[in-house]
Amino acid sequence: MANNNTDQEIRSRIDAFLAEIAALVKGQALESVQEALGDGAPRRRGPGRPRKMTIRVGRRPRGFAKRGKRTSEQLAAIAARVLAEVRSKQGRRLEEIGKAMRTDTGVLKRPIAKLLAAKKLKTKGQKRGTKYFVR
């Protein structure tokens, strides 16, 4: 009978210990959930990467200019200026032509492509080393 009494006492202590641990785990879980959800105020971002910039459809951020299509007359006028510039000094690259005309090379790409298609210009070289000549 003494053995039975000892077993019962051990069992009651183990049950009490397990109940205490279960209460601690539940408390910790609730604390974690409250921390994750916050108390209503958003947490501040720490140092590091800036927020991702999103562009909404229909709206442009400040600093972005509205770009429109150039008319065929505008393209023809730019093409004529490019042709005159290449004629004045042949064998220059697009960057050099743009610098001489005081304009961006992106503006010149389409008119030069049209002049090449019309066989008014010819090229030598590849990629950035392409040099333009009048036919």
Side-chain angles (χ1 to χ4, degrees), residues 39-44:
D39 54 351
R43 289 182 18 187
R44 288 187 50 88

Side-chain angles (χ1 to χ4, degrees), residues 8-21:
Q8 196 174 22
E9 194 173 321
I10 291 172
R11 174 55 68 194
S12 67
R13 287 191 182 203
I14 290 173
D15 289 340
F17 179 70
L18 289 177
E20 189 177 335
I21 288 181

Side-chain angles (χ1 to χ4, degrees), residues 50-55 60-62 64:
R51 285 192 175 156
K52 181 178 170 186
M53 183 178 161
T54 58
I55 298 174
R60 287 185 311 277
R62 274 189 233 146
F64 283 80

Side-chain angles (χ1 to χ4, degrees), residues 38-111:
D39 54 351
R43 289 182 18 187
R44 288 187 50 88
R45 292 174 62 100
R49 293 174 83 167
R51 285 192 175 156
K52 181 178 170 186
M53 183 178 161
T54 58
I55 298 174
R56 294 187 198 133
V57 176
R59 292 184 59 185
R60 287 185 311 277
R62 274 189 233 146
F64 283 80
K66 182 178 180 183
R67 295 181 61 175
K69 288 188 176 183
R70 293 178 285 182
T71 63
S72 57
E73 293 84 21
Q74 290 172 329
L75 285 175
I78 294 171
R81 286 179 49 212
V82 168
L83 193 59
E85 190 64 40
V86 172
R87 201 174 266 133
S88 71
K89 188 171 180 184
Q90 296 197 31
R92 288 194 286 180
R93 296 187 333 267
L94 184 61
E95 294 87 12
E96 296 168 331
I97 296 168
K99 189 180 280 188
M101 293 178 64
R102 295 187 179 137
T103 186
D104 185 35
T105 56
V107 173
L108 302 177
K109 287 181 183 178
R110 178 100 189 238

